[in-house]
Every structure is written in structure tokens, then in C-alpha cells.
Amino acid sequence: MTEAPAHDEAHGAGLGSRLNWLRAAVLGANDGVVSTAGLVVGVAGATESRSALLTAGLAGLLAGSMSMAAGEYVSVSTQRDSERAALALERRELREQPEAELAELTEILAGRGLSPDVAREAAVQLTERDALRAHARVELGIDPDDLTNPWHAAGASFLAFTAGALLPLLAITLPPASYRLWITVLSVLAALSLTGWSSARLGAAPPARAVLRNVVGGALAMAVTYGAGSLLGAAGV
């Protein structure tokens, strides 16, 4: 007798949540690479001072990471408040209009392909087990036990941006002056290739276009800021 092959595919809302966090981390790191690289390359166009480059890079890293963290905290806090308000409204409707809510759940399940009888039976069983959870998941798309956490989002954004920003900061300050610009440019383009490939893989999209888009965007940002820095340096600003 042959054994059935193992089925290791992940299911459930947890998988989608993890993928969203991974995608956010990749995009945060990508932002850290591009914004900090543009800043330090622009300063490098104006001066070779290692202290000036380090100061500008650290300022960009801290400002960017704090801005990302604050933005994520505000955004996710608003989302969490909306989720809580929707759950409170659903809880009240279940208390005041149980039959109408049961009919609504039946209609939603039927709209997803179940026959009317099966949809009704499924709605009854889900309601008897946990009415609020059933409506939250089926009607609202919310898991009451896994609401979004603004502190987690803020921390993840802060760490992702910082990790990305460290690469151009170290690349522009550690090597000798004659090599630092090219080392920074090449390391940034390599990092952008990696983040572009990672974001495409997480989204199940072809990686070539994402990598090219990332690399071209980063190269253009560095070219523009370096040109601006060079002009300001030449003007003695």
C-alpha cells in the first residue's frame, strides 16, 4: 500500500498575514536603501568629508526610520479602530436582530457558491458555534483574535528601514575616498536587485521586471542627487 504524499501547503489567515508582513519588511528595507543612498551620494557629490557623509547618512537613517514607524503606527491604529468599531456594530446587531443577521450570513454563503439549503445549514451551525466570529470572518473579513497591532507594524517598519539604510551608510563611509562612490553605487544596485526579486516572489509575479524597475529607479535617484550635490559643491555652497 502506497502512502499518500505529504501536503505541506500552508492555509488560513495566518499565511496571508505573514506574507503581508514579509512584503512590508521588504518594501521598508527597499525604501531605506533608496532614500539613504540618494542622500549620501548627493552629499558625496559635494564633499569628500567622511564626517559630513556619516552625519548626513545617520540623520537620514534616523529621520526615515522614525517617519516610517510613525506613519505605520498611525495607519495601523486607524485600521484597528475601524476593526473594533465594525466588531462592536456587529455584536449589537447580533444582539438586537439575530434572525436578520442569520439571513444575511446565509445570503453571503449562498453568494459564494453554496446551495440555499446548505448555506442555511452552514450559517446555523456557524452561528451556534460563535456568531460574532462567524460574521466577523465571513462578512467583515476580520479575525477577532488577530486584530492588527500598530506597535508591531511600527517596530517592523523601523527595523526594516534601518536595515536597508545601513548598507549605503556603511558603503559610503568605510572605503577609501577614491572607491567609496562606486562601491556604494554597486552595493545599492545589488541590494535593490535582491529586494525587487524578493517582492516579486512574495507577490508571485515575474521577477525580471520588478528587479529592472527597482534598479533603474534607484540608479536614477542616485544620479539626480549626485548631480545636484556636484553642482552645489562646485558653486561652493
Side-chain angles (χ1 to χ4, degrees), residues 57-137:
L58 279 175
L61 184 155
L62 292 173
S65 59
M66 293 301 296
S67 175
M68 288 282 291
E72 278 296 302
Y73 180 83
V74 170
S75 174
V76 175
S77 292
T78 301
Q79 179 183 344
R80 187 182 180 91
D81 291 343
S82 299
E83 291 174 342
R84 285 175 168 171
L87 288 173
L89 176 61
E90 197 64 40
R91 188 179 291 109
R92 190 187 73 189
E93 291 177 342
L94 285 168
R95 183 175 62 252
E96 297 176 353
Q97 308 171 53
E99 287 302 321
E101 288 299 298
L102 179 60
E104 183 180 29
L105 184 58
T106 301
E107 183 178 348
I108 293 173
L109 293 174
R112 296 184 178 182
L114 297 180
S115 68
D117 290 341
V118 173
R120 176 73 180 184
E121 178 62 26
V124 169
Q125 291 189 23
L126 288 171
T127 299
E128 290 175 348
R129 179 174 301 175
D130 192 326
L132 179 62
R133 185 185 303 277
H135 281 267
R137 289 182 171 177

Side-chain angles (χ1 to χ4, degrees), residues 6-207:
H7 186 63
D8 297 326
E9 182 183 357
H11 296 279
L15 175 61
S17 178
R18 287 193 297 272
L19 288 178
N20 286 335
W21 280 110
L22 285 172
R23 189 176 293 109
V26 169
L27 294 177
N30 190 82
D31 287 345
V33 171
V34 173
S35 60
T36 307
L39 178 61
V40 297
V41 167
V43 175
T47 178
E48 292 185 353
S49 169
R50 192 186 303 270
S51 61
L53 292 169
L54 180 60
T55 300
L58 279 175
L61 184 155
L62 292 173
S65 59
M66 293 301 296
S67 175
M68 288 282 291
E72 278 296 302
Y73 180 83
V74 170
S75 174
V76 175
S77 292
T78 301
Q79 179 183 344
R80 187 182 180 91
D81 291 343
S82 299
E83 291 174 342
R84 285 175 168 171
L87 288 173
L89 176 61
E90 197 64 40
R91 188 179 291 109
R92 190 187 73 189
E93 291 177 342
L94 285 168
R95 183 175 62 252
E96 297 176 353
Q97 308 171 53
E99 287 302 321
E101 288 299 298
L102 179 60
E104 183 180 29
L105 184 58
T106 301
E107 183 178 348
I108 293 173
L109 293 174
R112 296 184 178 182
L114 297 180
S115 68
D117 290 341
V118 173
R120 176 73 180 184
E121 178 62 26
V124 169
Q125 291 189 23
L126 288 171
T127 299
E128 290 175 348
R129 179 174 301 175
D130 192 326
L132 179 62
R133 185 185 303 277
H135 281 267
R137 289 182 171 177
V138 176
E139 181 182 345
L140 304 175
I142 298 174
D143 185 348
D145 298 325
D146 189 27
L147 298 182
T148 51
N149 188 312
W151 289 108
H152 290 171
S157 295
F158 180 89
L159 292 175
F161 188 97
T162 300
L166 281 174
L167 174 67
L169 175 60
L170 295 176
I172 203 72
T173 56
L174 294 182
S178 56
Y179 299 111
R180 64 171 57 130
L181 180 61
W182 289 111
I183 289 176
T184 301
V185 170
L186 292 176
S187 61
V188 165
L189 295 182
L192 292 177
S193 298
L194 178 60
T195 56
W197 179 87
S198 300
S199 62
R201 294 293 295 173
L202 288 171

